[in-house]
Amino acid sequence: MSDAKFFAKGKAAELRLELTSDKKDKNYVRRKTALKRVVANMTMNNNEMIQLFPDVLDCIKLDSLEIKKMCFLYLINYCRLKPDLANKALPVLLDDLRDRSPLVRALSLRTVSCISLPAFNEALVDPLGRLLRDPDPYVRKTAAFGVAKLWASDASLVEKSGLIEGVNQLLVDSNPTVVSAGLAALTDITDKSEGMKLAIGYQDASKLVQILGDCNEWSQTYILSALMAYTPQDPAEALLMAERLSPRLQHSNASVVLGTIRVILYLTHYISDDSAIQGLVKRFGPPLVTLLSKPHEIQYVALRNCFLILQQYPQILQNDIKVFFCKYNDPIYIKVTKLEIIFLLASEHNIKEILRELKEYASEIDVQFVRKAVRAIGKLAIKIDSAARDCIDTLLDLVATRVSYIVQEATVVIRNIFRKYPNKYESIISVLCKNLDSLDEPEAKAAMVWIIGQYADRIENSDELLDEFLFTFKEETIEVQLALLTATVKLFIQRPAKGQELVLQVLKWSTEETDNPDLRDRGYMYWRLLSSASGNADITRQVVMSEKPAISVESDKLDARTIEELSLNIGSLSSIYLKPVSQIFKGTKARQLEQSPALRRSDSNFESPGFYPNYTAANYFSTNGGDLLSE
C-alpha cells in the first residue's frame, strides 16, 4: 500500500476491527497498517478517530517500536482534548519509562512531557529526576528537554522539585550532545523567567567552544546560543574567544554560521582594539556569500542578516557587490532584499556598474520589482552627490520608454532629487511635462504638481498645466488635492497675473465644497495669509516658499540602539523583521549587553538588565570536581 492510500478517509468501526482482530498477525503487520491509517486520518482532522482511544491504548503494550511511535503520536494529539481518557494512558506511559530499551524510555518521556495536563505534570517529576541520570545519553538529552517543557507548563512545580539542579549536572556530562541539551533547556527556562538568569564564566565558555567540533548542527546551535550568556571581563579574553570561534564560520550549516556571527558581534563590544574588530568582521564576508548559493529560503534569511550587518560594517562586502545582483529566477522577496543591499553597498567606485544593472531590472516583467528598481536609482542620486547626473540620465532614458508605471515612479523620485538639489537639473522638467498623460496614480500626480508649483516661474505654461490637473480636483484623492492647493498658491505668489483666477477657484473649493478637515484648514490658512499679507507679498513668499527641510537617505537607516539590539539576535526572526525580539515573542526578555570592565565606552550607555539571581555555569562545571571533557 502506497503512503497516499493511507490518507483515504476511514471509518472508526472499520479501523477498530483491524486493531482488535484475533486473526493471526505476524509481526503486527495488520495493526501497523491500521495505525498508519489512524494517524493519517488524525492528520486530516478526522475527529472520528478519537473513538479509537481505548484500542490504541491496548496497542501500546505490543512489543514493537514502530507501533509505539504511532501510538505516542496519537496520544499527544488527543490527550489534551480528552483529559478523562488521557488519565487511562498515564499508567501505561509510566511503565514505559522503565522499559529496558532506551528508545522506548525516551519516546515515552517525550510523550508525557508534551501532554501538559496537571496529572501528567505531577506524575512526571520523579521519573524525570531519575532519567536525568539515565545511563543512556539519548535519554538524558530527552530528559533535559522534558524539564524545559515541564517548566513551561508548571514553573512552580519544577522549581520546588529541584529538577533545574538536575539539569545543571548535565553540564559536566561526558557526552557533548547531552551538555548542549542541558544548555538549551537552561537557556529556554532563563529566557522566559523573570527571576533567573544564566551566566557563564570564561573557563566554562572555553570548554564549550572546545567541544563544538564534536557536536552536530543542532547541538552547536544550542551551545552558540548559550554563549551569549558569557560576559568577558577582559578585552584580551573576548578577542581570544572570538578567534577560537572563527573556524565555525566555515561550517556548511546556515544556522551555525549565523550563530557564530551573532556571538562574535556580541564579543566585539568587549574588544578594545578597533583593528582587531575590523579583522574579525571581515571574515564574515566569505561565509555570507556562500550562503547565497543555498535554497531560496536560506538565501532570504542570509540576505536579511546581511542587510543588518551591513548597517554597521558596510566594508565587509564592499568588493562582493556582484553576488547581490539579481538572477532571473530569484523570487521577488529575494530580489527586493538584494536591491536594499545593493543600495547600501553603492559608492562612487561602483555606481556606474550598479546603474547599468538597475537599468536592466527596469526592463523586467514584474511591475513591483521594476518600480523598486526605478526608486533605487532615484535614492542613489540623493545618496551619492557626484553620481546625481548619471542617475538622472538613467531615469530620463527610462522615462523615454513611455511605460506608464516607469514614468510615474521616475516622477516621484525626481521630485525628491529636486528637493535634495534645489535650483539644479531644471532642464529635465520639460521632459516630465511631456508625459503628463501617463500619470494616473496619486503619488505620481502629487509629485508632478509639486514640481510645477515649485518651479512655476520657470515653466512657461505652468498655469495651463495646473489647470489640467484642476479639471478633476473634486475627484482626486486628498493627497493630490493638498498638493494642488499648495501649488496653486505658489503659482499665484510667483506669477500673480497667471495664478489669480486659479487660486480663487481652488480656495473656494477647499473651504466651501469639501468635507475633509485637513484640506479645509489648509485652505483657510492660505486664504487668510494671502488676505493679511496683501500689502506685503514678501511675508507670504517667506512662508509658502520657505526653504524645505534637507532630504536624505540616512533616514532609511536603523538607529544605532536598534542595530545593537538586533545584532544580539542575528539568525532569529527578530533580524528578519528588523524588530526587537520583545515585539515578536511576548514574554521573551530582550538581550542586552552586560556591564563589565571590558565593555567599550560607546556601548556602556545601554541599560543594565537589572538584578537576577545567577545560575552560573562556572559552579555547575566544577560540581564534584568534574571536567566537561572528562571520561
Side-chain angles (χ1 to χ4, degrees):
M1 180 183 286
S2 66
D3 290 346
K5 292 183 180 179
F6 292 130
F7 287 87
K9 189 172 181 179
K11 297 290 185 181
E14 298 174 1
L15 293 170
R16 180 178 287 113
L17 291 175
E18 294 291 330
L19 292 173
T20 60
S21 174
D22 293 332
K23 295 180 181 178
K24 188 175 181 180
D25 189 9
K26 186 177 181 180
N27 296 326
Y28 311 115
V29 174
R30 188 181 296 107
R31 286 186 176 87
K32 287 179 184 178
T33 303
L35 282 169
K36 288 179 181 178
R37 293 183 61 193
V38 170
V39 172
N41 277 267
M42 179 183 72
T43 306
M44 296 187 298
N45 295 322
N46 183 354
N47 291 328
E48 193 176 342
M49 296 299 104
I50 201 170
Q51 300 174 22
L52 300 174
F53 202 102
D55 308 296
V56 173
L57 204 56
D58 290 337
C59 291
I60 295 180
K61 302 172 185 177
L62 299 176
D63 188 19
S64 170
L65 184 60
E66 186 179 359
I67 287 178
K68 284 184 180 292
K69 285 181 180 180
M70 290 186 283
C71 292
F72 289 156
L73 186 60
Y74 179 92
L75 293 177
I76 291 172
N77 191 67
Y78 284 128
C79 275
R80 282 172 288 188
L81 299 178
K82 293 289 184 177
D84 52 332
L85 294 175
N87 292 330
K88 297 179 181 179
L90 185 55
V92 180
L93 291 170
L94 292 177
D95 286 342
D96 280 343
L97 289 176
R98 293 184 176 276
D99 194 274
R100 66 179 182 275
S101 168
L103 281 177
V104 173
R105 293 200 300 274
L107 286 171
S108 180
L109 173 59
R110 187 168 61 184
T111 302
V112 178
S113 61
C114 286
I115 302 171
S116 54
L117 295 174
F120 279 69
N121 292 341
E122 293 173 5
L124 185 59
V125 173
D126 291 336
L128 254 183
R130 183 182 73 252
L131 294 173
L132 284 170
R133 302 184 299 274
D134 193 275
D136 190 272
Y138 182 69
V139 177
R140 298 198 299 275
K141 169 190 166 185
T142 307
F145 289 123
V147 173
K149 291 176 184 176
L150 185 58
W151 189 92
S153 179
D154 192 340
S156 61
L157 180 63
V158 173
E159 291 170 7
K160 292 175 184 177
S161 64
L163 287 173
I164 293 182
E165 286 301 321
V167 178
N168 295 342
Q169 299 302 319
L170 297 182
L171 301 184
V172 294
D173 198 280
S174 60
N175 188 295
T177 302
V178 176
V179 174
S180 68
L183 282 170
L186 286 174
T187 303
D188 186 58
I189 291 172
T190 53
D191 279 351
K192 297 174 182 176
S193 171
E194 293 295 331
M196 291 184 287
K197 185 182 72 171
L198 182 66
I200 298 178
Y202 174 72
Q203 295 298 327
D204 309 315
S206 181
K207 292 175 183 178
L208 290 176
V209 174
Q210 189 173 345
I211 67 171
L212 276 173
D214 300 326
C215 300
N216 61 20
E217 290 89 344
W218 281 103
S219 297
Q220 290 186 48
T221 303
Y222 297 146
I223 292 174
L224 289 168
S225 179
L227 283 173
M228 297 295 288
Y230 159 61
T231 305
Q233 300 300 310
D234 181 80
E237 203 179 273
L239 179 58
L240 178 59
M241 190 64 64
E243 291 285 356
R244 292 181 63 190
L245 282 169
S246 295
R248 295 293 101 198
L249 292 171
Q250 310 305 319
H251 203 281
S252 60
N253 183 273
S255 181
V256 174
V257 172
L258 293 176
T260 304
I261 290 174
R262 178 178 65 242
V263 178
I264 293 178
L265 282 176
Y266 165 69
L267 292 173
T268 58
H269 295 289
Y270 299 90
I271 299 174
S272 57
D273 187 350
D274 289 334
S275 61
I277 293 176
Q278 294 301 322
L280 284 170
V281 298
K282 281 182 179 178
R283 300 178 192 178
F284 296 166
L288 287 173
V289 170
T290 301
L291 292 181
L292 298 184
S293 62
K294 300 283 186 180
H296 290 143
E297 294 78 11
I298 296 178
Q299 279 188 51
Y300 181 67
V301 173
L303 287 168
R304 294 302 290 174
N305 284 279
C306 277
F307 178 76
L308 176 57
I309 295 168
L310 290 172
Q311 298 267 342
Q312 280 184 295
Y313 304 104
Q315 71 277 11
I316 64 174
L317 292 169
Q318 198 72 51
N319 299 323
D320 297 306
I321 192 167
K322 286 187 178 181
V323 302
F324 297 106
F325 286 172
C326 300
K327 300 175 182 177
Y328 74 95
N329 60 344
D330 281 340
I332 182 63
Y333 58 89
I334 286 183
K335 288 182 176 180
V336 170
T337 308
K338 283 184 174 181
L339 267 185
E340 295 175 347
I341 294 176
I342 288 172
F343 175 77
L344 276 179
L345 295 177
S347 66
E348 294 181 1
H349 304 292
N350 56 24
I351 186 63
K352 291 186 181 297
E353 184 179 23
I354 290 175
L355 287 177
R356 286 195 297 270
E357 189 71 13
L358 293 177
K359 190 174 180 180
E360 288 293 325
Y361 297 162
S363 62
E364 293 273 350
I365 298 174
D366 192 310
V367 175
Q368 180 188 357
F369 182 57
V370 171
R371 286 177 178 274
K372 290 186 178 295
V374 174
R375 192 155 294 206
I377 296 172
K379 290 175 70 177
L380 286 172
I382 297 171
K383 178 182 178 181
I384 306 173
D385 295 357
S386 60
R389 182 74 258 180
D390 292 334
C391 294
I392 290 173
D393 291 341
T394 304
L395 288 171
L396 292 179
D397 290 341
L398 295 174
V399 169
T401 62
R402 302 188 69 84
V403 177
S404 174
Y405 51 86
I406 292 180
V407 173
Q408 299 194 83
E409 283 298 326
T411 303
V412 172
V413 298
I414 288 174
R415 183 266 311 271
N416 294 335
I417 292 173
F418 282 149
R419 284 191 58 189
K420 171 69 174 180
Y421 308 105
N423 304 317
K424 291 180 69 176
Y425 310 118
E426 291 92 341
S427 58
I428 67 175
I429 295 176
S430 58
V431 178
L432 297 178
C433 292
K434 293 177 183 178
N435 291 276
L436 291 182
D437 295 340
S438 301
L439 308 181
D440 55 15
E441 296 175 1
E443 188 179 9
K445 283 185 177 181
M448 190 65 218
V449 168
W450 183 90
I451 292 172
I452 295 172
Q454 189 69 19
Y455 296 96
D457 57 338
R458 305 176 200 183
I459 302 175
E460 185 177 351
N461 61 336
S462 55
D463 56 324
E464 297 175 4
L465 296 176
L466 280 179
D467 195 29
E468 289 184 26
F469 284 104
L470 291 172
F471 186 73
T472 57
F473 179 85
K474 296 180 181 180
E475 290 77 37
E476 298 291 355
T477 63
I478 184 61
E479 178 185 4
V480 178
Q481 288 179 338
L482 289 169
L484 282 168
L485 172 59
T486 301
T488 308
V489 173
K490 288 180 179 179
L491 171 66
F492 174 69
I493 291 171
Q494 296 176 82
R495 304 176 69 181
K498 295 284 187 180
Q500 183 173 358
E501 184 177 346
L502 291 179
V503 77
L504 288 173
Q505 183 63 58
V506 174
L507 287 173
K508 183 177 180 181
W509 285 338
S510 301
T511 55
E512 299 178 6
E513 301 181 23
T514 182
D515 295 327
N516 188 280
D518 294 332
L519 180 61
R520 186 170 58 246
D521 289 349
R522 187 179 293 190
Y524 278 125
M525 184 196 73
Y526 281 144
W527 201 317
R528 290 173 183 173
L529 182 62
L530 293 172
S531 301
S532 61
S534 56
N536 190 350
D538 290 339
I539 296 177
T540 308
R541 180 180 291 274
Q542 288 175 10
V543 173
V544 179
M545 302 295 296
S546 61
E547 185 175 345
K548 305 298 181 292
I551 187 170
S552 170
V553 294
E554 295 298 321
S555 59
D556 294 341
K557 286 190 174 182
L558 300 170
D559 63 89
R561 189 181 185 87
T562 302
I563 291 174
E564 295 291 355
E565 183 176 350
L566 293 178
S567 69
L568 301 179
N569 293 281
I570 290 285
S572 69
L573 282 177
S574 179
S575 64
I576 295 175
Y577 289 117
L578 299 181
K579 291 183 178 180
V581 67
S582 57
Q583 294 183 17
I584 300 175
F585 301 107
K586 292 183 179 179
T588 301
K589 291 187 292 191
R591 284 176 176 163
Q592 295 178 333
L593 297 174
E594 293 286 348
Q595 293 299 322
S596 162
L599 185 62
R600 291 165 66 94
R601 289 184 178 181
S602 59
D603 301 318
S604 61
N605 58 343
F606 283 86
E607 296 178 4
S608 174
F611 173 78
Y612 297 101
N614 281 355
Y615 277 85
T616 308
N619 297 330
Y620 307 154
F621 284 123
S622 59
T623 302
N624 298 326
D627 186 272
L628 186 62
L629 302 178
S630 61
E631 294 297 325

